[in-house]
Amino acid sequence: MRRLVPSLLLHAALVAGAALTLTPLVWMVSASFMPSGAANAVPPPFLPAHVTFRHYIELFTHLNLARTFGNSLFITVTATLASTVINAMAGYAFAKLRFGGRERLFQVLMGALVIPAQVGMMPLFLMVKGIGLVNTPWAVMIPSLASIFGIFLIRQFALAIPDDLLDAARIDGASEFEIFLRIVLPVLAPILVTLATFTFLSTWNDFMWPLIVLSDDAKYTLPVALANLSGEHVQDTELMMAGSVLTVLPVLVLFLAMQRSYIRGVMMGSVKG
Amino acid sequence: MSRTSERVQQRAAWGFLAPALILIGSFFFVPILAGLVMSFTDFDIYSIGRPDTIRFVGLSNYHQVLTSSEFWHAMRNTGFFVGVGGPLSVLTSLVAALLVNSKLARWKSFFRTVYFTPVVTTMVAVAIVWRYLLHTRYGLINAGLGALHLPAVDWLGDPHWAMPAIILLSVWKNFGYNMLIFIAGLQAIPEELYEAAELDGAGSVARFRHVTLPSLAPTFLFVGVMTMIGQFQIFAEPYVMTQGGPLRSTVTVVLLMYEQGFRWWRMGLATSMAFVLFAVTLVATAIQLRLQGGRR
Amino acid sequence: MIRGRRRGIAPGAAAALALLVALSGCARRDTRTTLRFWGMGREGEVVSQLLGGFERENPDVRVVVQQIPWSAAHEKLLTAYVGRSTPDVSQLGNTWVPEFAALEAIEPLGHRLEQAPFGPGSFFRGIWDTNVIGGRVYGVPWYVDTRLIFYRKDLLARAGYDSIPPTWSGWLEAMRAVKREVGPDRYAIFLPLNEWNPPIILGMQAGSPLLVDDGTRAAFDDSSFRAGFDFYLDLFREKLAPPVTGNEIANVYQEFSRGYFAMWITGPWNLGEFRRRLPADQQDDWATSPMPGPRGAASGISMAGGSSLVMFRDSKHKREAWKLIEYLSRPEVQLEFWRLTGDLPGRVETWRDTALAADPKMHAFEEQLRRVEPLPKVPEMEQIAIRLQDWVERAVRGTVPPDRALASLSDEVDRMLEKRRWLRAHGRLDGSTP
């Protein structure tokens, strides 16, 4: 009985917090279904009086957001697949393969985590221009293909693989690559899923770099196209909300599907090795 | 047997590392070094048409940045964001973590997921949503204030309120991330410490002060430093919501850098600005580490 | 105008035929040439409606329009230039022409103009001049823009004036009279602090060149700019203008309608906006007037604004690109464009059209367009204008004394122009001198 009041208060606070957190997102979805101009009312409506799909239709027809969605999807999926493999190989090497300079090299990489990405953005743009990849999806992928944080995460997880397991396979005559493929990857599977989710989310949501590197609206990713639209259609609240829903929906769905894995990854990432 | 095995491992290791190292080397380290070199030149719009007009100018870009009132204005804005938004964000995360992790709380994973949701959303999309939420007349936020009989605020039009509005958005978007880290930290505190304290007659407040907080100190440090580093780099929110306005009150250093670099094409100047920001971030991190981690 | 059309079809058909012949070997590919056109803002939205006629005349050309918001246009154009992904033809704000000419990004149009059905004389002189850099022509004016006074006739009448006096002193007296009439809570003129156009216009009217020495030194602290600047500041000191930015006024049109201010220095897009947003019964209460000048009407110059059509050097379809530019410069197409956007046509002869000539509110624009001057044609101009706006605002709000504001501005601008000075000293400024 003594616990009832504190428990009620606690849950009231939790629910209030949840409501405040979700309100912007719920309003975003709700407004996307309102007829044009309905959201600009005093007081602002929370639910649509009449539901309309017009804005979504306009996004896909007149504004060609399907193509933009496709661009984002192609770039994100490709970068996620490639980077997961690349980071896994490097992370495993740092954890389990013995070679000279291993610890020092790893420390250099960790130290580099402090450097903000923007420092190199301008020269990187000129580099990308030099190799003729400006305004292509490959240019957008470049910064996402290998990630120091990803390597760190994999290494953390891979450290737990028992050495005897690997040595036994070596004695049996397996090559390092076969060991990686047959023994290590299956063991790393959970963290690979986590890392892939991380990479998908961050690549999908990336804004500043695609903004810089893409100049053709046929090649835009969703965040860039959305920012572009918002410059022109400031007055069209409901249309912009529909665009936002379209951009946020895939990552939200992915997150909800993978939440356990993803959340565990975040919490793991905070544990310093 | 072990020696050939080691040589084989060594060769294999470089093979495994090669893709990642080549990518990170070429597309991360090389641009940063190139940026450093560029910051000592006057690379600008004239240079693009005629590369032979690039001059080596030594530290003159750095001098210009450090004596520019525009830069210090941006630095003040960024500092306000870090100094006010940082603690606010960390505090909100801590409160959320304490609530969710509480022994009395049920449906923990539901609330945890809900609070984390804003973190995964696309910044541009939510900045657009918030731009409408913060509208003086049609926005839900002012409607909410009105329901509480508080005066409406011109969030994005008043230079005094624009940065607080961005802080509000940033806290909402990011508190879930640090909440998870705090939860991890809270869960790592051994039960025995609480039991011992309770046996000693400590009430819940005292237990919080003497067990929870000290045990969380390293987590606090980690969260504080990581949050601060990230906040120094804020760009998307002012770019989408306010374009640095009103009256340049939301121009942050990275936004200014973007303007100088990609709008006016003063790349030498912009890269030097990036390095100055980097240096400031390092100093601030060192200070925070000293202040918070000192007692070790 | 039929004559123009006939002349248009023949070369168009010939070009199409030539294209067909040339491409007849590549039967499997789509033989149509694709022209990429970048349009900004409202013009970008509307221009595709004009292109049907062009594509009919040139069946082997297809135009793809990309819309870019003004807020991102400058950096998008520059990034495209650096990344070698520029379009074939683009709308370009004419204050940006010097910059893209300096970059050698846009194509000089000299020899094409020689065969064109129009020439410099077809356009307002001051506007044409914005496209001439170092003696070469880089763009063709598309639509023009200038700033002049929109005002409340009825409020001015109550103050005893039936029009805006053409001299600064007369104008000042009129504003004071209006202020006496409307009282302490209202104002005579709206000068938003986030607009750099009014102080620059007044400085230009007072005779300031803004930049000197081939655009390599600031002239903001000399006496002529100071004269315009003081006139501007006095309007705030005498409480004739409210010290606010555009953002601080919730709805400018509502305030104009309410009489919160009686005058506003703004541009042609507001002709349409005023018609749309002001109540029907107030449509007779407002009018336009050319800018007064320090010494009378002739000195009442204004800015030569607007957009040009330019062709990029990297374009692989320059002949077709020029055809597009020619097409969009035809008087009848310009008129149609005006009907769709409200943007003022660049070609002088279109102003003879009954629709344009019949609108009394347009007369002020025609008069003003004969008295416009370009801003200094340096690539840094836009950035300079923005810094000026910053310092002007501080002077108005009183946080910095005017002397120091102008001195600091000049210092900053001098620093910005340092590279240009160096280039000039080494004789490398050819191509970008005004």
Side-chain angles (χ1 to χ4, degrees):
Chain A
M1 212 43 201
R2 247 182 64 213
R3 303 189 123 201
L4 186 59
V5 170
S7 174
L8 275 175
L9 285 174
L10 175 70
H11 286 95
L14 281 171
V15 169
L20 283 176
T21 307
L22 289 181
T23 300
L25 299 172
V26 171
W27 190 79
M28 172 181 77
V29 176
S30 170
S32 74
F33 289 114
M34 292 182 194
S36 290
N40 290 349
V42 179
F46 198 74
L47 288 175
H50 309 278
V51 170
T52 169
F53 288 88
R54 250 187 56 218
H55 307 295
Y56 289 98
I57 296 177
E58 182 168 350
L59 285 178
F60 281 104
T61 55
H62 188 222
L63 294 170
N64 221 331
L65 235 55
R67 182 181 54 190
T68 315
F69 191 93
N71 293 341
S72 273
L73 200 62
F74 173 70
I75 290 172
T76 308
V77 168
T78 312
T80 302
L81 289 175
S83 75
T84 306
V85 170
I86 293 175
N87 289 331
M89 295 201 317
Y92 166 65
F94 274 119
K96 287 287 149 186
L97 292 179
R98 296 179 272 273
F99 61 95
R102 184 178 77 176
E103 294 313 308
R104 222 172 339 219
L105 184 58
F106 186 68
Q107 272 165 16
V108 167
L109 285 184
M110 286 289 101
L113 270 180
V114 191
I115 304 177
Q118 293 88 8
V119 168
M121 247 179 209
M122 281 154 284
L124 184 60
F125 176 74
L126 291 172
M127 261 178 84
V128 167
K129 170 204 175 218
I131 47 183
L133 283 182
V134 167
N135 207 31
T136 62
W138 315 109
V140 180
M141 284 185 224
I142 281 175
S144 316
L145 291 174
S147 135
I148 299 180
F149 176 72
I151 294 175
F152 162 72
L153 209 61
I154 303 267
R155 176 180 176 273
Q156 283 290 87
F157 203 83
L159 282 173
I161 301 177
D163 288 311
D164 317 329
L165 194 58
L166 303 172
D167 285 333
R170 284 180 189 122
I171 293 174
D172 281 349
S175 75
E176 289 300 329
F177 191 65
E178 282 172 339
I179 295 177
F180 179 70
L181 219 49
R182 299 225 191 93
I183 300 178
V184 178
L185 275 187
V187 173
L188 285 182
I191 199 69
L192 290 182
V193 168
T194 304
L195 184 60
T197 312
F198 265 135
T199 312
F200 190 96
L201 286 175
S202 72
T203 312
W204 182 272
N205 291 340
D206 195 13
F207 176 59
M208 194 171 174
W209 175 247
L211 178 72
I212 288 171
V213 107
L214 296 173
S215 57
D216 200 345
D217 64 358
K219 308 232 172 77
Y220 282 169
T221 56
L222 273 175
V224 179
L226 206 58
N228 201 44
L229 274 181
S230 83
E232 288 170 33
H233 292 265
V234 164
Q235 312 297 334
D236 295 328
T237 313
E238 302 77 13
L239 182 70
M240 294 310 309
M241 292 301 105
S244 295
V245 169
L246 193 68
T247 309
V248 165
L249 200 60
V251 287
L252 213 53
V253 164
L254 180 72
F255 164 64
L256 290 174
M258 314 254 64
Q259 39 174 308
R260 255 206 308 263
S261 164
Y262 186 79
I263 287 179
R264 188 209 19 219
V266 170
M267 289 162 83
M268 256 190 80
S270 68
V271 174
K272 289 289 195 137
Chain B
M1 195 58 179
S2 64
R3 203 163 318 151
T4 33
S5 165
E6 271 206 30
R7 249 209 307 276
V8 166
Q9 272 192 40
Q10 191 129 2
R11 269 209 313 272
W14 290 110
F16 276 68
L17 286 172
L21 289 184
I22 291 177
L23 284 166
I24 293 177
S26 339
F27 296 121
F28 184 70
F29 283 109
V30 167
I32 288 177
L33 289 171
L36 192 60
V37 171
M38 206 187 261
S39 71
F40 297 127
T41 70
D42 69 348
F43 196 99
D44 63 7
I45 198 159
Y46 293 106
S47 322
I48 301 191
R50 279 172 286 182
D52 53 318
T53 60
I54 300 179
R55 293 174 298 165
F56 179 73
V57 293
L59 291 174
S60 138
N61 284 330
Y62 288 93
H63 181 253
Q64 197 174 337
V65 167
L66 291 171
T67 55
S68 140
S69 65
E70 250 202 307
F71 174 76
W72 287 112
H73 191 71
M75 200 68 231
R76 268 199 306 278
N77 292 337
T78 311
F80 178 75
F81 183 76
V82 170
V84 173
L88 196 60
S89 178
V90 171
L91 211 63
T92 313
S93 306
L94 180 62
V95 168
L98 289 170
L99 287 177
V100 169
N101 196 54
S102 160
K103 281 195 275 277
L104 297 177
R106 292 171 56 191
W107 310 303
K108 282 192 169 62
S109 63
F110 168 75
F111 284 111
R112 209 178 49 186
T113 302
V114 165
Y115 292 152
F116 194 77
T117 305
V119 177
V120 303
T121 53
T122 314
M123 176 46 90
V124 176
V126 298
I128 290 174
V129 176
W130 274 77
R131 201 168 66 183
Y132 291 107
L133 289 177
L134 291 164
H135 195 279
T136 324
R137 288 181 48 215
Y138 307 134
L140 273 184
I141 305 232
N142 276 348
L145 287 178
L148 296 171
H149 298 293
L150 291 168
V153 176
D154 186 6
W155 293 102
L156 299 178
D158 185 338
H160 294 116
W161 286 108
M163 200 46 125
I166 290 187
I167 289 179
L168 201 60
L169 165 60
S170 175
V171 168
W172 172 83
K173 186 154 196 321
N174 292 310
F175 83 95
Y177 192 88
N178 287 330
M179 174 194 74
L180 284 189
I181 298 183
F182 274 125
I183 289 179
L186 284 171
Q187 285 175 349
I189 303 178
E191 256 318 290
E192 299 87 62
L193 288 179
Y194 285 114
E195 286 165 10
E198 210 173 343
L199 283 176
D200 281 350
S204 47
V205 173
R207 282 204 301 276
F208 181 74
R209 269 183 59 202
H210 296 291
V211 178
T212 313
L213 280 185
S215 309
L216 274 185
T219 315
F220 245 113
L221 187 60
F222 178 74
V223 166
V225 169
M226 297 309 298
T227 304
M228 187 183 69
I229 293 179
Q231 288 190 326
F232 266 113
Q233 298 169 23
I234 175 181
F235 168 74
E237 296 90 317
Y239 181 88
V240 173
M241 292 221 296
T242 55
Q243 285 92 52
L247 297 187
R248 314 288 284 166
S249 62
T250 55
V251 174
T252 58
V253 176
V254 177
L255 185 60
L256 188 64
M257 217 178 76
Y258 175 81
E259 281 180 2
Q260 292 294 327
F262 289 102
R263 192 170 288 173
W264 310 121
W265 225 263
R266 294 174 170 259
M267 286 224 160
L269 195 64
T271 41
S272 65
M273 212 179 284
F275 280 99
V276 171
L277 177 67
F278 177 40
V280 169
T281 312
L282 276 181
V283 168
T285 307
I287 293 179
Q288 187 167 11
L289 283 172
R290 177 67 57 86
L291 285 179
Q292 279 192 254
R295 250 178 304 137
R296 223 162 231 262
Chain C
M1 294 302 102
I2 295 181
R3 189 143 180 264
R5 279 220 189 86
R6 252 196 239 137
R7 273 188 73 189
I9 287 186
L17 201 60
L19 263 173
L20 270 174
V21 169
L23 295 171
S24 59
C26 330
R28 252 179 297 169
R29 278 189 279 150
D30 177 0
T31 51
R32 288 201 301 174
T33 315
T34 301
L35 276 185
R36 289 167 58 231
F37 180 91
W38 280 15
M40 286 114 209
R42 176 106 185 96
E43 293 81 36
E45 276 175 39
V46 150
V47 72
S48 15
Q49 297 178 44
L50 296 175
L51 296 173
F54 176 76
E55 288 185 346
R56 274 191 295 279
E57 282 180 25
N58 299 279
D60 277 308
V61 183
R62 162 177 101 99
V63 183
V64 174
V65 175
Q66 178 159 332
Q67 289 175 39
I68 308 198
W70 276 112
S71 54
H74 195 252
E75 60 243 40
K76 285 278 157 231
L77 282 164
L78 279 177
T79 316
Y81 169 67
V82 173
R84 314 219 69 156
S85 52
T86 47
D88 298 289
V89 181
S90 178
Q91 168 184 2
L92 198 66
N94 58 14
T95 46
W96 296 350
V97 172
E99 186 174 357
F100 285 83
L103 283 177
E104 294 171 20
I106 52 183
E107 176 88 356
L109 301 172
H111 61 287
R112 293 180 208 276
L113 277 167
E114 284 164 23
Q115 275 106 45
F118 55 80
S122 317
F123 301 90
F124 294 98
R125 185 202 55 82
I127 303 286
W128 181 262
D129 196 16
T130 62
N131 295 290
V132 180
I133 317 287
R136 297 152 96 187
V137 181
Y138 283 93
V140 175
W142 192 21
Y143 66 87
V144 300
D145 176 350
T146 185
R147 303 294 162 102
L148 45 70
I149 304 183
F150 284 58
Y151 65 98
R152 287 282 299 271
K153 280 196 314 201
D154 53 343
L155 291 176
L156 211 63
R158 265 169 45 194
Y161 288 82
D162 60 4
S163 67
I164 304 224
T167 61
W168 274 11
S169 47
W171 182 28
L172 190 57
E173 272 316 309
M175 285 193 274
R176 287 178 179 145
V178 169
K179 176 76 180 180
R180 280 193 295 271
E181 185 57 38
V182 298
D185 294 330
R186 296 174 171 201
Y187 295 89
I189 184 168
F190 180 45
L191 295 167
L193 294 174
N194 54 324
E195 279 183 19
W196 47 262
N197 303 294
I200 282 197
I201 291 175
L202 293 172
M204 283 166 62
Q205 287 182 349
S208 169
L210 304 180
L211 298 179
V212 290
D213 293 341
D214 262 336
T216 61
R217 276 215 179 276
F220 295 110
D221 45 3
D222 71 9
S223 57
S224 48
F225 189 80
R226 189 60 201 270
F229 191 52
D230 282 337
F231 184 80
Y232 181 79
L233 283 180
D234 283 341
L235 298 178
F236 292 94
R237 285 201 196 104
E238 292 190 32
K239 306 238 188 298
L240 299 170
V244 293
T245 65
N247 301 331
E248 291 169 59
I249 299 249
N251 186 332
V252 156
Y253 304 99
Q254 229 168 33
E255 302 303 335
F256 186 72
S257 173
R258 278 182 49 219
Y260 183 63
F261 52 87
M263 299 176 203
W264 186 16
I265 299 178
T266 181
W269 66 89
N270 270 320
L271 287 168
E273 294 294 324
F274 272 38
R275 287 203 181 94
R276 264 194 297 277
R277 293 168 187 269
L278 291 180
D281 57 4
Q282 264 192 322
Q283 290 298 332
D284 277 331
D285 288 337
W286 64 275
T288 53
S289 160
M291 292 290 301
R295 293 171 301 281
S299 60
I301 58 178
S302 186
M303 277 172 45
S307 287
S308 303
L309 292 168
V310 298
M311 189 195 306
F312 281 89
R313 275 198 209 223
D314 278 351
S315 166
K316 300 200 176 36
H317 312 292
K318 295 204 175 105
R319 212 149 44 112
E320 293 76 9
W322 175 249
K323 293 211 156 315
L324 182 59
I325 294 180
E326 263 191 6
Y327 181 82
L328 289 171
S329 305
R330 291 188 196 163
E332 63 273 19
V333 179
Q334 291 235 312
L335 267 176
E336 181 60 25
F337 187 57
W338 169 68
R339 272 189 275 270
L340 289 170
T341 58
D343 289 337
L344 305 181
R347 288 197 67 164
V348 180
E349 63 188 278
T350 58
W351 289 75
R352 301 282 158 269
D353 176 83
T354 40
L356 269 163
D359 183 357
K361 296 182 166 103
M362 295 286 266
H363 294 165
F365 278 100
E366 190 177 355
E367 206 187 312
Q368 187 72 75
L369 283 166
R370 297 185 191 286
R371 297 200 297 261
V372 292
E373 294 297 327
L375 292 178
K377 297 177 206 169
V378 301
E380 297 87 345
M381 193 61 218
E382 172 131 357
Q383 201 181 3
I384 292 175
I386 290 181
R387 294 312 302 143
L388 179 135
Q389 173 187 308
D390 225 17
W391 284 106
V392 164
E393 178 176 0
R394 282 180 229 186
V396 168
R397 291 198 192 270
T399 49
V400 171
D403 279 333
R404 196 147 69 80
L406 290 181
S408 305
L409 172 63
S410 294
D411 277 342
E412 272 188 32
V413 173
D414 277 338
R415 254 191 310 192
M416 273 185 220
L417 292 172
E418 194 272 322
K419 179 72 173 270
R420 199 175 157 78
R421 278 197 294 281
W422 180 83
L423 285 173
R424 181 173 185 244
H426 288 71
R428 324 271 275 279
L429 256 195
D430 43 78
S432 42
T433 38

